[in-house]
Amino acid sequence: MPKDRAPTRIQKKNRAAILEAALNVFSAHGFRGATVDQIATEAGLSKPNLLYYFPSKEAIHTALLSGLLETWLAPLHDLDATGDPMEEILSYIRRKLQMSREFPRESRLFANELVQGAPRIHSALSHDLKVLVDEKTAILTDWMDQGKIAKLHPYHLIFSIWALTQHYADFDIQVRVILGDEDPYEGAEPFVDTLYRKLLRP
Amino acid sequence: MPKDRAPTRIQKKNRAAILEAALNVFSAHGFRGATVDQIATEAGLSKPNLLYYFPSKEAIHTALLSGLLETWLAPLHDLDATGDPMEEILSYIRRKLQMSREFPRESRLFANELVQGAPRIHSALSHDLKVLVDEKTAILTDWMDQGKIAKLHPYHLIFSIWALTQHYADFDIQVRVILGDEDPYEGAEPFVDTLYRKLLRP
DNA sequence: TGTTGATTTGACCATCTGGTCAAACTCACG
DNA sequence: CGTGAGTTTGACCAGATGGTCAAATCAACA
């Protein structure tokens, strides 16, 4: 294992390659379905070489998840209490849909983990996620109390946004079976926009 | 492997026990994460005994999926072109939400498969699912053309229903982390009801 | 009850997989 | 160069896992 000094050029390159490869493999096959050999090959390394940079398969997975959780929650983090309520929420939704479009692997990485009961990130969820959601739903509740947007159950409002936007990344195959050649996001963006305008109108 | 005559009492009992156990294990761990031993133990059989009834792990999985696909699509199948549009759609949504509540394992079984690209049911999807969805979206489009419900992209309307309802089963852990002790479906039912009433109002 | 087919199992196998290790190789720097 | 730290690898191991098989046991029916 490399010493914990400043990382060398090679360390940076290889760690990045491993995480990139791991994202591909874990998101496509889940933790159990991924093999260290597969990740190593995809990263252009031998298995022992990969294990020189990360002590175990589990460690790669953990590093990947915790490194990406922040990115994943960023759109919600940016929801601003001082902005225009309707526009803030719609722009949060657009950012979230954009994430599904640009980072489908990341979405599926989390989806895989969640569907199986989040055995490896349950604690991170109940801390970071819970806190962030509570903070933001407080804002939503304020807006509702002030009559700026329709009164709805704030948690379920958040769930609906997650469900709708992540569906396009997580169940991509199903979406494409139905849509054929049509670009999913072409139709999704106006659809969710209309949906939430109607839903949130006071 | 049992002959293909009429199944004996023992065959019926054991096949059912295996499929029930397999549903537990596959839905919780995915195909790759499940082991034959685990399924056998949960079904109260030895591994060779289990493999006397199904030729392979893959065969159990396939039998399970194809046996459940019909159940899974039943709510949509029941959408009736001659009923009242708004009530038909709302009742479809209620049935779908009810499925998530009563059959979360089935939902996660499909979710696991879909997230990983549906390697084992892709063909079933592009036949049965595609046909059924096209049939039902034609009804939706009619209703829209007649001004009975709001004009929306019918495929994305279906996606939104799937996403919203299945979210509660598939990402149950996340939902519970946020909601705490609150019953998810208690709030979900009125929420989705309100949502689609607003969305579909012409 | 005897016989035949159905059912069950212990022992076993080949392969896959995560992980180890000592030895070899490479790189940066004096 | 030369040297020491950083990097890479072939060979290897132990345990898990899907699957096989012959022999033993059981159930049902004549």
Side-chain angles (χ1 to χ4, degrees):
Chain A
M1 194 164 38
K3 304 292 158 99
D4 54 3
R5 304 185 190 161
T8 68
R9 176 182 53 88
I10 294 177
Q11 276 172 39
K12 273 189 213 164
K13 194 193 67 180
N14 283 345
R15 277 181 192 279
I18 291 168
L19 290 174
E20 167 70 17
L23 177 57
N24 274 332
V25 178
F26 282 136
S27 69
H29 304 289
F31 180 78
R32 195 60 162 42
T35 75
V36 176
D37 255 319
Q38 221 179 331
I39 299 171
T41 302
E42 197 145 330
L45 300 173
S46 66
K47 186 170 59 167
N49 198 180
L50 179 148
L51 290 166
Y52 169 71
Y53 290 99
F54 289 89
S56 69
K57 179 183 175 182
E58 181 108 23
I60 305 172
H61 194 251
T62 303
L64 197 57
L65 279 172
S66 61
L68 288 172
L69 188 58
E70 199 185 346
T71 310
W72 203 240
L73 298 180
L76 182 54
H77 203 272
D78 291 349
L79 188 88
D80 180 6
T82 68
D84 173 70
M86 182 71 85
E87 278 315 307
E88 278 297 321
I89 297 174
L90 287 176
S91 114
Y92 166 52
I93 292 162
R94 268 180 237 120
R95 286 196 298 275
K96 204 80 179 68
L97 199 56
Q98 189 66 6
M99 297 275 294
S100 280
R101 190 178 205 163
E102 281 179 27
F103 308 113
R105 294 175 305 169
E106 285 80 350
S107 190
R108 284 193 284 268
L109 181 75
F110 285 113
N112 258 306
E113 192 62 13
L114 285 176
V115 171
Q116 296 181 14
R120 280 167 284 272
I121 53 162
H122 194 278
S123 64
L125 285 186
S126 34
H127 298 149
D128 305 351
L129 180 68
K130 172 71 172 153
V131 166
L132 179 62
V133 168
D134 280 345
E135 180 192 327
K136 298 305 180 178
T137 48
I139 298 175
L140 295 176
T141 306
D142 275 352
W143 288 340
M144 291 175 194
D145 288 343
Q146 294 166 24
K148 303 270 182 70
I149 55 173
K151 268 201 152 65
L152 296 162
H153 193 307
Y155 286 148
H156 289 277
L157 176 56
I158 297 280
F159 294 155
S160 75
I161 294 170
W162 290 347
L164 268 174
T165 55
Q166 294 177 192
H167 187 86
Y168 291 96
D170 299 344
F171 304 118
D172 179 77
I173 276 78
Q174 199 181 40
V175 168
R176 287 182 196 279
V177 161
I178 303 296
L179 287 183
D181 285 336
E182 196 179 328
D183 178 336
Y185 295 94
E186 211 71 25
E189 206 181 299
F191 180 87
V192 297
D193 200 272
T194 304
L195 190 156
Y196 284 100
R197 278 186 199 281
K198 289 194 179 193
L199 177 64
L200 295 171
R201 190 156 27 224
Chain B
M1 193 165 39
K3 305 292 160 102
D4 53 2
R5 304 184 189 163
T8 69
R9 177 182 53 86
I10 295 176
Q11 275 172 39
K12 273 189 214 164
K13 195 195 64 178
N14 283 345
R15 278 180 190 279
I18 291 168
L19 290 176
E20 167 70 16
L23 176 57
N24 274 333
V25 178
F26 282 135
S27 69
H29 305 288
F31 180 79
R32 194 62 162 40
T35 76
V36 175
D37 256 317
Q38 220 179 331
I39 298 171
T41 301
E42 197 145 328
L45 301 172
S46 66
K47 185 170 59 165
N49 198 180
L50 180 148
L51 289 167
Y52 169 71
Y53 291 99
F54 289 89
S56 69
K57 180 184 175 181
E58 181 108 24
I60 305 171
H61 194 252
T62 303
L64 196 57
L65 278 172
S66 60
L68 288 171
L69 189 57
E70 200 184 348
T71 309
W72 203 241
L73 298 180
L76 182 54
H77 203 273
D78 291 348
L79 188 87
D80 181 6
T82 68
D84 174 70
M86 182 70 86
E87 278 315 308
E88 279 297 321
I89 297 174
L90 287 175
S91 115
Y92 166 51
I93 291 162
R94 268 180 238 119
R95 287 195 298 274
K96 203 81 181 68
L97 199 57
Q98 188 66 4
M99 298 274 293
S100 280
R101 190 178 207 162
E102 281 179 29
F103 308 113
R105 296 175 303 169
E106 286 79 350
S107 191
R108 284 193 283 268
L109 181 75
F110 286 113
N112 257 307
E113 191 63 12
L114 285 177
V115 172
Q116 295 180 15
R120 278 167 285 272
I121 51 161
H122 194 278
S123 63
L125 285 188
S126 32
H127 298 148
D128 305 352
L129 180 68
K130 173 70 172 155
V131 167
L132 178 63
V133 168
D134 280 346
E135 179 191 326
K136 298 305 181 179
T137 48
I139 297 174
L140 295 176
T141 305
D142 275 353
W143 287 340
M144 292 177 193
D145 288 343
Q146 293 165 25
K148 303 273 182 67
I149 56 173
K151 266 197 153 67
L152 296 161
H153 193 307
Y155 286 147
H156 289 278
L157 176 57
I158 296 280
F159 294 155
S160 76
I161 295 171
W162 290 347
L164 269 174
T165 56
Q166 294 177 192
H167 187 85
Y168 291 96
D170 299 344
F171 304 118
D172 179 77
I173 277 79
Q174 199 181 42
V175 168
R176 288 181 196 281
V177 161
I178 303 296
L179 287 183
D181 285 335
E182 196 179 329
D183 178 336
Y185 294 94
E186 212 70 26
E189 205 179 301
F191 180 86
V192 298
D193 200 90
T194 304
L195 190 156
Y196 283 100
R197 278 186 199 282
K198 290 194 179 193
L199 178 63
L200 295 171
R201 191 158 25 227

